[in-house]
Amino acid sequence: MRRVREVIVVEGRYDKNALSQVVDATILETRGFGIFRDQELSALLRRLAAERGIIVLTDSDGAGFVIRSRLRGMLPKEQVKQAYIPDIYGKERRKRAPGREGKLGVEGMPPAVLIAALQRAGATFEDGEGAPAGGAPITKADLLELRLIGPGSAQRRQVLLRRLDLPSRLTANALLEVLNILYTRERFLQEYQLWDGESAVEPPQNKTS
């Protein structure tokens, strides 16, 4: 599986599922036209674009280009790469009928086509590289020790999301991905120490030598 440094933006969960079988990357969904009204998601994409860069990979139909245009208008040009899939006509297995324009979307593309689209866009492939130079990553064990995941963690996680200006809809897994893009482990723990929530706890100690 190819590892991609940039954050890849797709339209929906089926696109994300298909792409996640091909590349190891942070993949975010616009939820179709949801990006037009979701200010939290828009703000998050701006932060991620500044930190890691964005690759836009939408369907090749009219709706896909409308979404692509929206993203192009809201993100700095130098922080965005455009990946295009070819016009291949057909129907995805899960659908009873083809889409309005009869074209396969991202979810229907063969793996080799998706890789080729990312290569043409100038994706940064990091195959075989280790952890980022910033040090040890934030892990699920850290979040568990901080009681940000697990039973009864939802409210604490919402407080943290507000504190860090992150979207309230982020799942625990998505939170972990985003934190590792925006923060080093050391910096995150420093930020966490500043959290004045009523149920704040001491940050975990780094057990690595």
Side-chain angles (χ1 to χ4, degrees):
M1 183 176 291
R2 308 295 303 275
R3 187 189 311 172
V4 177
R5 173 176 173 76
E6 292 88 355
V7 174
I8 304 175
V9 179
V10 298
E11 294 181 47
R13 63 189 177 97
Y14 292 106
D15 300 328
K16 180 177 180 179
N17 289 343
L19 193 57
S20 66
Q21 304 302 310
V22 180
V23 295
D24 177 6
T26 298
I27 305 170
L28 296 183
E29 308 162 33
T30 68
R31 293 187 293 275
F33 291 123
I35 188 64
F36 284 79
R37 55 184 178 276
D38 193 333
Q39 297 303 312
E40 286 186 333
L41 177 58
S42 297
L44 175 60
L45 290 177
R46 292 187 185 96
R47 292 179 69 179
L48 296 180
E51 288 288 335
R52 193 73 72 83
I54 294 283
I55 296 176
V56 178
L57 180 60
T58 61
D59 293 350
S60 60
D61 59 8
F65 274 83
V66 170
I67 295 168
R68 188 184 294 275
S69 178
R70 171 69 173 183
L71 293 170
R72 184 183 288 115
M74 60 178 270
L75 299 170
K77 182 178 179 180
E78 65 275 9
Q79 296 172 358
V80 180
K81 297 175 181 178
Q82 302 288 341
Y84 297 93
I85 58 173
D87 287 343
I88 299 177
Y89 291 86
K91 177 185 72 69
E92 286 85 2
R93 293 183 190 177
R94 69 180 180 87
K95 296 180 179 179
R96 293 185 177 180
R100 181 178 300 178
E101 297 181 27
K103 300 175 183 178
L104 290 174
V106 169
E107 66 169 290
M109 291 291 119
V113 173
L114 294 175
I115 289 293
L118 293 172
Q119 289 174 328
R120 287 193 300 271
T124 305
F125 291 97
E126 299 182 322
D127 305 77
E129 293 187 5
I138 305 162
T139 66
K140 280 191 174 181
D142 290 328
L143 300 189
L144 185 62
E145 189 166 347
L146 294 171
R147 289 186 287 150
L148 292 169
I149 59 175
S153 63
Q155 185 174 356
R156 293 174 60 81
R157 194 161 59 248
Q158 286 300 310
V159 174
L160 179 68
L161 290 169
R162 288 195 297 270
R163 175 84 182 188
L164 301 181
D165 293 322
L166 293 173
S168 60
R169 294 190 185 92
L170 282 186
T171 64
N173 286 336
L175 171 63
L176 184 62
E177 283 190 307
V178 170
L179 288 176
N180 273 304
I181 292 174
L182 297 177
Y183 299 93
T184 62
R185 184 177 187 274
E186 180 180 10
R187 183 183 166 206
F188 169 64
L189 296 181
Q190 290 173 345
E191 290 279 344
Y192 190 83
Q193 287 179 311
L194 299 176
W195 180 21
D196 294 325
E198 59 184 39
S199 56
V201 297
E202 290 297 318
Q205 299 298 312
N206 191 340
K207 298 180 177 60
T208 58
S209 56

